[in-house]
Amino acid sequence: MSPIKLGNHLVGKGYPPFIVAEISGNHNQSIDRAIQIVEEAAKAGAHAIKLQTYTPDTMTLDLNEKDFKISDEASIWDNKSLYNLYQEAYTPWEWHEAIFNRCKELGILAFSTPFDNSAVDFLESLDVPCYKIASFECTDLPLIRRVAETKKPMVISTGMCTSAEIFEAVNAAKDAGCEDIILLKCTSTYPASPIHTNIKTIPHMKELFQCQVGLSDHTMGVGVAVASVALGAVLIEKHLTLSREDGGVDASFSMEPDELKVLVSETKKAWESLGKVHYGPTDVEQASLKFRRSLYVVEDLKEGDLLTEQNLKAIRPGHGLSPKYFPILLGKRVNRDIKKGSPVTWEIF
């Protein structure tokens, strides 16, 4: 499976995990804060910033009726109307260009999640390098087709999706002209629990859908993301805020800059540690071989003396014969005088 190019980065097997910092609504309706999040993401080593491009009116209706209100005591948005939630969280379209320009200045990729055709048209006017489809829009096949028509790489989150729904999304994207697809394993709860994350699905998704696969992670900390890299995740997406204490619609399940820095570092270490299937000493272990145990004479011996459990020991360093020969050598006569501390070799018999 070939790597996928996102901007100047290659994403896939053989390349470090691509780290995406999601701003979402963590700008708290301040463009200065949004720019600061970009700057902190770049400092932490993230490879990309992602926005969400919509307005409340492109998402839902301005109604406070049952269908349009969140009624879930377990939700951080309980009792909010959908319209008011999106009004609070959306990123004004007039901010996009300034945010994208700051990303360019800092050498960090910028892209977005469109939620309708008007958002795709707008993002095309800004020449975004790729697109993200949110989990909740994974079944919006007309939107996926519209994005695919741009011929740009597409990242698709799959929270809540059945395998059949993912097949439909992938096929819709490919049929409409998208050749480069990255699927993201995702659990659409906020925050998500590691228990419900099921990242063993990642290698299965890669095999089943023949796509690069990553993780959209709503859990706290870096453990799930690091583990996902060991299972083959090539892209990690996490929400980023300046401080959870500042509040905001997504703050409670977002990373802070110092945590993002750890994520970047630890996922790269996890990827580096995978290496290849290998047995025996590596090049860097060669110097350590001398500290293995080996057989040494531990008392002065005269020619003709017998080796016994008292004068033959397996000790460090490793310049003598392997300890596996200990029972074979007991009772053997030496053919020369030997000083205490001499390594045992075949030549002394």
Side-chain angles (χ1 to χ4, degrees):
M1 197 176 301
S2 299
I4 292 172
K5 192 170 185 181
L6 300 183
N8 294 322
H9 299 271
L10 288 173
V11 180
K13 184 179 179 181
Y15 297 91
F18 188 81
I19 307 300
V20 179
E22 162 73 77
I23 293 180
S24 185
N26 286 327
H27 47 63
N28 295 353
Q29 290 304 308
S30 165
I31 188 172
D32 291 337
R33 183 181 174 88
I35 295 294
Q36 193 175 354
I37 292 174
V38 169
E39 292 168 349
E40 290 298 327
K43 276 190 216 174
H47 303 105
I49 282 285
K50 192 185 77 66
L51 304 181
Q52 295 183 4
T53 306
Y54 63 86
T55 70
D57 293 302
T58 65
M59 292 290 277
T60 191
L61 299 177
D62 188 6
L63 296 174
N64 206 30
E65 297 171 8
K66 182 180 178 182
D67 284 355
F68 298 90
K69 192 171 183 178
I70 300 171
S71 298
D72 180 359
E73 292 182 358
S75 172
I76 59 176
W77 306 301
D78 184 38
N79 213 34
K80 282 183 179 283
S81 76
L82 292 176
Y83 192 92
N84 288 340
L85 174 63
Y86 301 136
Q87 181 70 50
E88 182 181 352
Y90 94 108
T91 302
W93 293 20
E94 59 269 22
W95 293 5
H96 282 54
E97 187 170 11
I99 294 171
F100 286 179
N101 286 341
R102 185 62 180 136
C103 288
K104 287 178 184 176
E105 291 169 358
L106 295 169
I108 187 170
L109 193 72
F111 64 108
S112 188
T113 299
F115 289 83
D116 76 331
N117 288 352
S118 69
V120 179
D121 294 340
F122 172 70
L123 291 169
E124 277 298 283
S125 75
L126 297 177
D127 196 26
V128 293
C130 56
Y131 286 90
K132 163 79 187 294
I133 300 293
S135 288
F136 291 83
E137 277 61 44
C138 189
T139 56
D140 188 346
L141 301 186
L143 175 63
I144 288 174
R145 292 188 187 99
R146 174 65 189 94
V147 171
E149 288 170 358
T150 69
K151 312 297 184 186
K152 293 177 180 176
M154 191 185 311
V155 180
I156 304 176
S157 271
T158 63
M160 306 169 291
C161 285
T162 65
S163 59
E165 288 170 336
I166 299 172
F167 267 119
E168 289 178 341
V170 170
N171 289 337
K174 289 182 176 179
D175 290 346
C178 180
E179 297 180 357
D180 296 322
I181 300 170
I182 301 173
L183 298 176
L184 300 186
K185 178 69 182 77
C186 180
T187 303
S188 295
T189 54
Y190 309 89
S193 165
I195 292 172
H196 301 131
T197 303
N198 296 316
I199 59 173
K200 280 187 177 180
T201 312
I202 289 172
H204 188 269
M205 286 177 71
K206 181 178 179 181
E207 181 68 24
L208 186 61
F209 302 107
Q210 290 297 297
C211 290
Q212 301 287 358
V213 178
L215 176 72
S216 179
D217 186 18
H218 301 133
T219 65
M220 303 305 292
V222 303
V224 172
V226 170
S228 76
V229 172
L231 290 171
V234 299
L235 184 153
I236 308 294
E237 177 189 67
K238 292 275 263 185
H239 286 244
L240 178 65
T241 186
L242 297 178
S243 171
R244 283 187 290 273
E245 290 184 357
D246 293 345
V249 293
D250 296 337
S252 64
F253 60 90
S254 297
M255 302 196 95
E256 295 179 352
D258 286 348
E259 295 168 325
L260 177 61
K261 187 174 182 180
V262 172
L263 175 76
V264 171
S265 172
E266 295 304 307
T267 52
K268 185 175 182 182
K269 288 178 185 176
W271 170 75
E272 289 173 336
S273 74
L274 294 175
K276 60 186 178 182
V277 176
H278 177 86
Y279 296 98
T282 61
D283 291 344
V284 295
E285 290 176 308
Q286 290 294 333
S288 296
L289 287 173
K290 62 179 175 288
F291 299 114
R292 280 180 162 181
R293 283 182 179 267
S294 67
L295 297 178
Y296 270 75
V297 171
V298 296
E299 295 177 359
D300 288 339
L301 297 179
K302 297 292 186 181
E303 181 181 348
D305 284 348
L306 298 175
L307 291 177
T308 68
E309 291 186 356
Q310 286 67 48
N311 59 34
L312 178 66
K313 299 290 183 184
I315 59 173
R316 293 184 181 184
H319 300 301
L321 293 175
S322 169
K324 69 183 180 181
Y325 296 113
F326 183 84
I328 297 174
L329 298 183
L330 288 178
K332 299 287 185 186
R333 293 186 184 277
V334 297
N335 61 14
R336 68 192 73 177
D337 293 348
I338 302 175
K339 290 181 60 177
K340 175 182 178 180
S342 298
V344 175
T345 65
W346 295 116
E347 285 74 24
I348 69 171
F349 304 106

